[in-house]
Amino acid sequence: IASSPVVQQPATTPTPVIPPKITPQPVLGEDTTERIKGIRKAMVKTMTAAQTIPPFGYYDEIDLTELVRFREMIKQQALQRGVKFSYMPVFIKAVSMALREYPILNSSVDEKVENITYKASHNIGLAMDTKDGLLVPNIKNVQSLSIYEIASELNRLHALGLAGKLGTDDLTGGTFSLSNIGSIGGTYARPVILPPEVAIGALGKIQALPRFDDEDNLVKRYIMQVSWSADHRVIEGATMARFSNLWKSYLENPTSMILDLK
Ligand code: CAO
């Protein structure tokens, strides 16, 4: 019995449905232009000068689990003495201790990059988000301050910054900078070196994350990413990496800091 042939229907292309045009709502406001002045004008100058520096970027993660415990213990004691104790004082002291081993990172170069000046003081600058814009006051002579004294100085600078009252002395003379963008959020950043300084670090948000311990168990750890930028005209990548390793070792084992504290 002959079966009747299957007749193939030609494929039909569906007619596209064209959505109706959206009529935009009338704009309620209007464009505004304002003069760049004050602190923002200073930022234009500094950041434009910074563009002449070829930066080297170096990134790592730091396990802050021990430091988180340490700060929990110390926070209340500091508060009883009238000082708010964040992680920054420890980050700053560890920077200074690592700078002792790698003093070239606490140097400055002249405009023509013919001379390097190794700075005797560790004046650590802190990027500060204020209502007037970005300010970078610095804590002077961190090498001879205790962690508690650094916390106290940080409180003073932060209060002045928020009140828009930071003075020239606090805002000049920095030799190395940190930018704690993680207090706002984010993981990585590409910090811009502030000339005549030669290096800066950006700190990400401290996050509880799973990691493997030595016995391959999954454990909860507190992790922070650090992003360093260094002036590659005078700083080798290896120097930045070794400095970062030392800084990291202090933060991952806060007791090791005590051994080297002066
Ligand atoms: N991850 C998670 N939590 C953080 C953190 C981080 N990286 N940094 C700070 N915190 C916590 C603090 O421990 C504190 O917690 P508690 O209330 O439990 O004590 C809380 O966040 C608030 O800290 P803080 O911001 O008041 O204090 P700080 O010393 O850590 O930082 C300052 C001070 C001035 C660095 C910060 O306020 C600031 O301005 N950060 C922004 C910097 C910035 O704008 N960088 C970009 C520069 S380029 O434009």
Side-chain angles (χ1 to χ4, degrees), residues 71 75 84-88 126-129 134 154 158 179-184 203-206 224:
R71 187 185 83 113
K75 204 168 116 176
K84 185 171 175 263
F85 192 89
S86 65
Y87 296 98
M88 282 306 273
L126 308 142
M128 203 171 270
D129 178 43
L134 170 68
L154 178 59
H158 202 183
S179 172
N180 183 12
I181 194 73
S183 68
I184 300 172
L203 313 170
K205 186 185 163 100
I206 303 166
M224 181 184 76

Side-chain angles (χ1 to χ4, degrees), residues 25-33:
Q25 295 295 309
V27 178
L28 294 176
E30 53 185 45
D31 297 352
T32 55
T33 303

